[in-house]
Short mmCIF file of all heavy atoms in Angstrom, two decimals:
data_model
loop_
_atom_site.label_atom_id
_atom_site.label_comp_id
_atom_site.label_asym_id
_atom_site.label_seq_id
_atom_site.Cartn_x
_atom_site.Cartn_y
_atom_site.Cartn_z
N LYS A 105 -4.35 25.96 13.31
CA LYS A 105 -4.64 27.39 13.04
C LYS A 105 -3.83 27.92 11.88
O LYS A 105 -4.42 28.63 11.02
CB LYS A 105 -4.25 28.19 14.37
CG LYS A 105 -4.15 29.71 14.04
CD LYS A 105 -5.45 30.39 13.88
CE LYS A 105 -5.34 31.87 13.73
NZ LYS A 105 -6.63 32.53 13.36
N SER A 106 -2.58 27.48 11.70
CA SER A 106 -1.83 27.91 10.56
C SER A 106 -2.33 27.34 9.23
O SER A 106 -2.25 28.01 8.21
CB SER A 106 -0.38 27.43 10.75
OG SER A 106 0.44 27.97 9.73
N ILE A 107 -2.83 26.19 9.25
CA ILE A 107 -3.46 25.57 8.08
C ILE A 107 -4.60 26.41 7.56
O ILE A 107 -4.86 26.60 6.35
CB ILE A 107 -3.84 24.09 8.32
CG1 ILE A 107 -2.63 23.20 8.55
CG2 ILE A 107 -4.69 23.55 7.13
CD1 ILE A 107 -2.94 21.85 8.95
N HIS A 108 -5.38 26.91 8.50
CA HIS A 108 -6.57 27.70 8.13
C HIS A 108 -6.20 29.18 7.73
O HIS A 108 -6.99 29.86 7.27
CB HIS A 108 -7.60 27.66 9.22
CG HIS A 108 -8.21 26.34 9.48
ND1 HIS A 108 -8.97 25.74 8.57
CD2 HIS A 108 -8.20 25.47 10.53
CE1 HIS A 108 -9.43 24.55 8.94
NE2 HIS A 108 -8.97 24.40 10.15
N ASP A 109 -4.97 29.54 8.13
CA ASP A 109 -4.51 30.87 7.79
C ASP A 109 -3.05 30.77 7.30
O ASP A 109 -2.09 31.27 7.94
CB ASP A 109 -4.60 31.69 9.08
CG ASP A 109 -4.28 33.22 8.76
OD1 ASP A 109 -4.23 33.58 7.59
OD2 ASP A 109 -4.08 34.01 9.72
N PRO A 110 -2.85 30.09 6.12
CA PRO A 110 -1.47 29.66 5.69
C PRO A 110 -0.56 30.79 5.34
O PRO A 110 0.68 30.54 5.26
CB PRO A 110 -1.80 28.76 4.55
CG PRO A 110 -3.15 29.23 3.99
CD PRO A 110 -3.84 29.65 5.19
N PHE A 111 -1.02 31.95 4.99
CA PHE A 111 -0.13 33.06 4.60
C PHE A 111 0.19 33.94 5.80
O PHE A 111 0.95 34.94 5.60
CB PHE A 111 -0.82 33.89 3.50
CG PHE A 111 -0.93 33.13 2.17
CD1 PHE A 111 -2.07 32.38 1.87
CD2 PHE A 111 0.17 33.06 1.33
CE1 PHE A 111 -2.17 31.67 0.71
CE2 PHE A 111 0.09 32.31 0.13
CZ PHE A 111 -1.02 31.65 -0.20
N ASN A 112 -0.20 33.59 6.99
CA ASN A 112 0.17 34.25 8.16
C ASN A 112 1.49 33.58 8.75
O ASN A 112 1.42 32.55 9.40
CB ASN A 112 -0.93 34.15 9.24
CG ASN A 112 -0.66 35.03 10.46
OD1 ASN A 112 0.53 35.25 10.82
ND2 ASN A 112 -1.70 35.44 11.15
N THR A 113 2.66 34.16 8.36
CA THR A 113 3.82 33.57 8.73
C THR A 113 4.20 33.59 10.19
O THR A 113 4.95 32.81 10.72
CB THR A 113 5.03 34.23 7.96
OG1 THR A 113 5.04 35.64 8.26
CG2 THR A 113 4.85 33.98 6.45
N ASP A 114 3.59 34.54 10.92
CA ASP A 114 3.71 34.60 12.33
C ASP A 114 3.19 33.32 13.06
O ASP A 114 3.90 32.72 13.90
CB ASP A 114 3.02 35.78 13.01
CG ASP A 114 3.67 37.12 12.53
OD1 ASP A 114 4.69 37.08 12.01
OD2 ASP A 114 2.97 38.17 12.84
N VAL A 115 2.03 32.95 12.62
CA VAL A 115 1.44 31.71 13.21
C VAL A 115 2.23 30.44 12.87
O VAL A 115 2.51 29.61 13.69
CB VAL A 115 -0.03 31.50 12.74
CG1 VAL A 115 -0.62 30.20 13.31
CG2 VAL A 115 -0.92 32.69 13.14
N TYR A 116 2.72 30.40 11.65
CA TYR A 116 3.59 29.28 11.15
C TYR A 116 4.79 29.22 12.01
O TYR A 116 5.26 28.20 12.47
CB TYR A 116 3.89 29.42 9.74
CG TYR A 116 4.70 28.24 9.13
CD1 TYR A 116 4.06 27.14 8.59
CD2 TYR A 116 6.13 28.22 9.19
CE1 TYR A 116 4.76 26.05 8.11
CE2 TYR A 116 6.80 27.13 8.77
CZ TYR A 116 6.10 26.06 8.19
OH TYR A 116 6.81 24.99 7.75
N GLY A 117 5.46 30.38 12.23
CA GLY A 117 6.72 30.39 13.01
C GLY A 117 6.54 29.99 14.41
O GLY A 117 7.34 29.30 15.05
N VAL A 118 5.37 30.38 15.05
CA VAL A 118 5.09 29.99 16.46
C VAL A 118 4.94 28.43 16.53
O VAL A 118 5.39 27.82 17.53
CB VAL A 118 3.86 30.69 16.99
CG1 VAL A 118 3.46 30.18 18.36
CG2 VAL A 118 4.08 32.26 17.09
N GLN A 119 4.20 27.84 15.59
CA GLN A 119 4.02 26.39 15.65
C GLN A 119 5.37 25.64 15.54
O GLN A 119 5.65 24.69 16.17
CB GLN A 119 2.99 25.92 14.62
CG GLN A 119 3.37 26.12 13.22
CD GLN A 119 3.62 24.86 12.37
OE1 GLN A 119 3.51 23.76 12.89
NE2 GLN A 119 4.04 25.01 11.13
N GLN A 120 6.24 26.24 14.67
CA GLN A 120 7.57 25.64 14.51
C GLN A 120 8.39 25.78 15.79
O GLN A 120 9.12 24.84 16.18
CB GLN A 120 8.28 26.33 13.37
CG GLN A 120 7.91 25.90 11.96
CD GLN A 120 8.24 24.44 11.65
OE1 GLN A 120 9.21 23.91 12.19
NE2 GLN A 120 7.48 23.79 10.82
N LEU A 121 8.22 26.90 16.47
CA LEU A 121 8.92 27.10 17.70
C LEU A 121 8.62 26.03 18.75
O LEU A 121 9.55 25.42 19.32
CB LEU A 121 8.71 28.53 18.18
CG LEU A 121 9.29 28.87 19.58
CD1 LEU A 121 10.84 28.86 19.48
CD2 LEU A 121 8.80 30.23 20.09
N PHE A 122 7.37 25.79 18.90
CA PHE A 122 6.94 24.76 19.89
C PHE A 122 7.38 23.43 19.54
O PHE A 122 7.89 22.66 20.42
CB PHE A 122 5.43 24.87 20.09
CG PHE A 122 4.92 25.83 21.05
CD1 PHE A 122 4.47 27.12 20.57
CD2 PHE A 122 4.96 25.67 22.46
CE1 PHE A 122 4.04 28.10 21.43
CE2 PHE A 122 4.51 26.70 23.27
CZ PHE A 122 4.09 27.89 22.82
N ILE A 123 7.24 23.08 18.27
CA ILE A 123 7.56 21.65 17.86
C ILE A 123 9.08 21.45 17.91
O ILE A 123 9.52 20.40 18.17
CB ILE A 123 6.99 21.40 16.43
CG1 ILE A 123 5.48 21.41 16.50
CG2 ILE A 123 7.51 20.11 15.84
CD1 ILE A 123 4.76 21.30 15.14
N VAL A 124 9.84 22.51 17.54
CA VAL A 124 11.33 22.42 17.56
C VAL A 124 11.89 22.29 18.94
O VAL A 124 12.81 21.55 19.21
CB VAL A 124 11.91 23.57 16.81
CG1 VAL A 124 13.37 23.73 17.10
CG2 VAL A 124 11.73 23.47 15.26
N VAL A 125 11.27 22.97 19.88
CA VAL A 125 11.78 23.13 21.26
C VAL A 125 11.42 21.87 22.09
O VAL A 125 12.20 21.45 22.95
CB VAL A 125 11.32 24.43 21.93
CG1 VAL A 125 11.54 24.34 23.39
CG2 VAL A 125 11.99 25.60 21.33
N ALA A 126 10.23 21.25 21.82
CA ALA A 126 9.78 20.12 22.58
C ALA A 126 10.80 19.01 22.88
O ALA A 126 10.94 18.52 23.95
CB ALA A 126 8.51 19.64 21.96
N PRO A 127 11.52 18.60 21.84
CA PRO A 127 12.49 17.48 22.04
C PRO A 127 13.59 17.80 23.00
O PRO A 127 14.18 16.97 23.70
CB PRO A 127 13.06 17.17 20.63
CG PRO A 127 11.98 17.69 19.70
CD PRO A 127 11.42 18.83 20.38
N VAL A 128 13.91 19.09 23.06
CA VAL A 128 15.01 19.52 23.97
C VAL A 128 14.54 19.24 25.45
O VAL A 128 15.30 18.83 26.28
CB VAL A 128 15.34 21.05 23.82
CG1 VAL A 128 16.29 21.52 24.87
CG2 VAL A 128 15.83 21.35 22.38
N LEU A 129 13.25 19.47 25.72
CA LEU A 129 12.73 19.27 27.06
C LEU A 129 12.63 17.72 27.38
O LEU A 129 12.99 17.31 28.45
CB LEU A 129 11.30 19.86 27.18
CG LEU A 129 11.25 21.43 27.04
CD1 LEU A 129 9.85 21.87 26.89
CD2 LEU A 129 11.82 22.04 28.24
N VAL A 130 12.30 16.96 26.36
CA VAL A 130 12.14 15.53 26.58
C VAL A 130 13.57 14.96 26.85
O VAL A 130 13.78 14.15 27.68
CB VAL A 130 11.56 14.87 25.33
CG1 VAL A 130 11.59 13.37 25.46
CG2 VAL A 130 10.10 15.31 25.15
N ALA A 131 14.55 15.49 26.10
CA ALA A 131 15.94 14.98 26.25
C ALA A 131 16.51 15.34 27.67
O ALA A 131 17.21 14.61 28.25
CB ALA A 131 16.84 15.68 25.23
N ALA A 132 15.96 16.47 28.21
CA ALA A 132 16.49 16.86 29.59
C ALA A 132 16.05 15.79 30.64
O ALA A 132 16.90 15.47 31.53
CB ALA A 132 15.92 18.20 29.95
N SER A 133 14.88 15.25 30.45
CA SER A 133 14.47 14.22 31.39
C SER A 133 15.25 12.96 31.20
O SER A 133 15.62 12.20 32.16
CB SER A 133 12.94 13.89 31.24
OG SER A 133 12.15 14.89 31.94
N GLN A 134 15.58 12.64 29.93
CA GLN A 134 16.37 11.50 29.57
C GLN A 134 17.78 11.57 30.26
O GLN A 134 18.28 10.56 30.79
CB GLN A 134 16.48 11.23 28.08
CG GLN A 134 15.10 10.89 27.47
CD GLN A 134 15.16 10.83 26.01
OE1 GLN A 134 15.91 11.51 25.33
NE2 GLN A 134 14.32 9.96 25.42
N TYR A 135 18.34 12.74 30.26
CA TYR A 135 19.64 12.96 30.85
C TYR A 135 19.60 12.65 32.38
O TYR A 135 20.49 12.02 32.90
CB TYR A 135 20.14 14.37 30.64
CG TYR A 135 20.28 14.76 29.21
CD1 TYR A 135 20.12 16.06 28.73
CD2 TYR A 135 20.65 13.78 28.21
CE1 TYR A 135 20.25 16.44 27.40
CE2 TYR A 135 20.86 14.14 26.94
CZ TYR A 135 20.66 15.46 26.49
OH TYR A 135 20.74 15.79 25.18
N VAL A 136 18.51 13.18 32.96
CA VAL A 136 18.44 12.98 34.44
C VAL A 136 18.20 11.58 34.78
O VAL A 136 18.75 11.03 35.81
CB VAL A 136 17.27 13.89 34.98
CG1 VAL A 136 17.09 13.67 36.54
CG2 VAL A 136 17.53 15.35 34.79
N ILE A 137 17.40 10.92 33.95
CA ILE A 137 17.16 9.42 34.20
C ILE A 137 18.44 8.64 34.17
O ILE A 137 18.65 7.81 35.04
CB ILE A 137 16.17 8.90 33.16
CG1 ILE A 137 14.76 9.48 33.28
CG2 ILE A 137 16.07 7.34 33.27
CD1 ILE A 137 13.76 9.08 32.24
N LEU A 138 19.35 8.98 33.25
CA LEU A 138 20.59 8.25 33.21
C LEU A 138 21.40 8.41 34.50
O LEU A 138 21.92 7.54 35.07
CB LEU A 138 21.42 8.64 31.96
CG LEU A 138 22.81 7.98 31.83
CD1 LEU A 138 22.62 6.47 31.77
CD2 LEU A 138 23.52 8.51 30.62
N GLY A 139 21.42 9.72 34.93
CA GLY A 139 22.12 9.96 36.15
C GLY A 139 21.54 9.29 37.33
O GLY A 139 22.27 8.80 38.24
N GLU A 140 20.23 9.22 37.40
CA GLU A 140 19.51 8.51 38.47
C GLU A 140 19.85 7.04 38.47
O GLU A 140 20.02 6.42 39.52
CB GLU A 140 17.96 8.76 38.36
CG GLU A 140 17.60 10.12 38.64
CD GLU A 140 17.69 10.47 40.15
OE1 GLU A 140 17.24 9.76 40.97
OE2 GLU A 140 18.25 11.53 40.42
N ILE A 141 19.86 6.45 37.28
CA ILE A 141 20.19 5.00 37.16
C ILE A 141 21.58 4.79 37.67
O ILE A 141 21.89 3.81 38.46
CB ILE A 141 20.02 4.56 35.69
CG1 ILE A 141 18.60 4.53 35.29
CG2 ILE A 141 20.66 3.12 35.50
CD1 ILE A 141 18.43 4.18 33.85
N MET A 142 22.57 5.63 37.25
CA MET A 142 23.91 5.48 37.68
C MET A 142 24.03 5.58 39.22
O MET A 142 24.72 4.80 39.81
CB MET A 142 24.83 6.56 37.00
CG MET A 142 24.97 6.38 35.51
SD MET A 142 26.05 7.73 34.86
CE MET A 142 26.34 7.13 33.22
N GLU A 143 23.29 6.61 39.77
CA GLU A 143 23.42 6.84 41.19
C GLU A 143 22.79 5.63 41.99
O GLU A 143 23.34 5.26 43.05
CB GLU A 143 22.68 8.06 41.54
CG GLU A 143 22.84 8.56 43.00
CD GLU A 143 24.30 9.12 43.17
OE1 GLU A 143 24.70 10.07 42.55
OE2 GLU A 143 24.99 8.52 44.05
N CYS A 144 21.71 5.07 41.46
CA CYS A 144 21.02 4.00 42.20
C CYS A 144 21.74 2.66 42.05
O CYS A 144 21.87 1.91 42.99
CB CYS A 144 19.59 3.84 41.62
SG CYS A 144 18.46 5.13 42.29
#
Side-chain angles (χ1 to χ4, degrees):
K105 165 68 175 173
S106 185
I107 291 174
H108 293 297
D109 189 10
F111 291 93
N112 187 331
T113 56
D114 291 349
V115 178
Y116 184 91
V118 171
Q119 63 112 5
Q120 282 292 333
L121 177 62
F122 277 97
I123 295 175
V124 163
V125 168
V128 177
L129 296 169
V130 176
S133 282
Q134 293 175 330
Y135 300 148
V136 177
I137 291 172
L138 178 59
E140 290 290 309
I141 291 175
M142 289 177 173
E143 190 70 62
C144 284

